[in-house]
Amino acid sequence: MKDKVQEEIIEEFSVFDDWLDRYDHLIGLSDTLPAIAPEHRTEQYLIEGCQSRVWIDAELRDGRVRFTADSDAIITKGIIALLIRVLDGRTPREILDTELYFIDAIGLGANLSPTRANGLLAMVRQMRRFALAFESRLEKEQHASPPAGPVRGPAFGGGGEETDAENEQHDEKSGTVNFRNVQAYKIA
């Protein structure tokens, strides 16, 4: 099934023939990034595995996940801005079920350095971890009283590496990483 936001991104990038022009556009997208609160630019919100420093925060409001982020590298800011554009405002289940096909369709995966590609994977993993944690929280709340306010991300494992061998499986053939049954985009 086609995703409206991803289709818009694909159309937006299709006007550029040269990857230098696409990089310029990506840099311009960094201005659209929902800024993370200064108090969340800490190690707790820092994404491990990125060449640049990237901070991502998530909040569950009215059953929808809202992301904010920042990076010290402008291209990385553009990349996370695209990811947030696609995943922000969705339910946790929608985030977990969203196939991020726009990454290949715009040629992003093929034109990133290996370290930036690893960073992209780390950002996607963390966003999906937030969604998985929020979904678990919502399921628990169905059997208990709701929390007094919004639920923030790092309480559910934001920042830092928490993977272990039995919870993370790599499927080289399909190009995915399965983290506790959460599909995350992988760039070789």
Side-chain angles (χ1 to χ4, degrees):
M1 186 165 116
K2 300 283 182 178
D3 179 278
K4 181 182 175 191
V5 177
Q6 292 188 71
E7 291 299 315
E8 289 171 1
I9 292 170
I10 292 167
E11 179 66 27
E12 193 176 300
F13 275 80
S14 72
V15 301
F16 304 109
D17 295 326
D18 182 15
W19 250 96
L20 289 178
D21 294 332
R22 289 181 182 199
Y23 275 126
D24 284 341
H25 184 65
L26 197 57
I27 289 168
L29 291 174
S30 67
D31 293 336
T32 67
L33 185 64
I36 195 168
E39 63 269 18
H40 295 149
R41 283 188 97 214
T42 64
E43 294 296 316
Q44 184 179 7
Y45 296 83
L46 193 62
I47 303 303
E48 297 291 327
C50 292
Q51 175 183 357
S52 311
R53 293 174 55 90
V54 180
W55 299 267
I56 300 177
D57 186 22
E59 182 178 31
L60 185 66
R61 273 188 265 146
D62 300 323
R64 303 215 169 256
V65 181
R66 305 311 307 230
F67 292 101
T68 58
D70 198 7
S71 176
D72 61 0
I74 198 154
I75 289 176
T76 305
K77 273 184 159 180
I79 292 169
I80 192 65
L82 283 175
L83 292 173
I84 288 176
R85 186 168 155 191
V86 171
L87 298 175
D88 189 60
R90 295 182 189 232
T91 67
R93 175 55 32 206
E94 289 169 341
I95 292 169
L96 295 172
D97 290 343
T98 298
E99 177 189 347
L100 299 173
Y101 62 87
F102 82 93
I103 294 169
D104 282 334
I106 66 173
L108 185 60
N111 287 284
L112 289 178
S113 68
T115 53
R116 278 229 164 81
N118 286 337
L120 171 60
L121 176 58
M123 289 182 270
V124 171
R125 279 183 180 162
Q126 186 58 50
M127 294 173 87
R128 292 188 190 265
R129 284 182 187 135
F130 281 133
L132 183 62
F134 289 138
E135 182 178 63
S136 175
R137 175 71 176 242
L138 288 171
E139 288 172 3
K140 287 178 184 177
E141 287 174 3
Q142 288 178 344
H143 305 290
S145 60
V151 181
R152 293 214 78 82
F156 299 111
E161 275 301 310
E162 61 184 52
T163 62
D164 60 303
E166 62 193 61
N167 288 330
E168 183 172 335
Q169 301 170 344
H170 298 271
D171 182 349
E172 296 300 323
K173 186 174 180 183
S174 69
T176 61
V177 174
N178 187 309
F179 181 81
R180 297 182 186 155
N181 297 320
V182 178
Q183 295 298 313
Y185 186 83
K186 179 183 179 195
I187 298 176

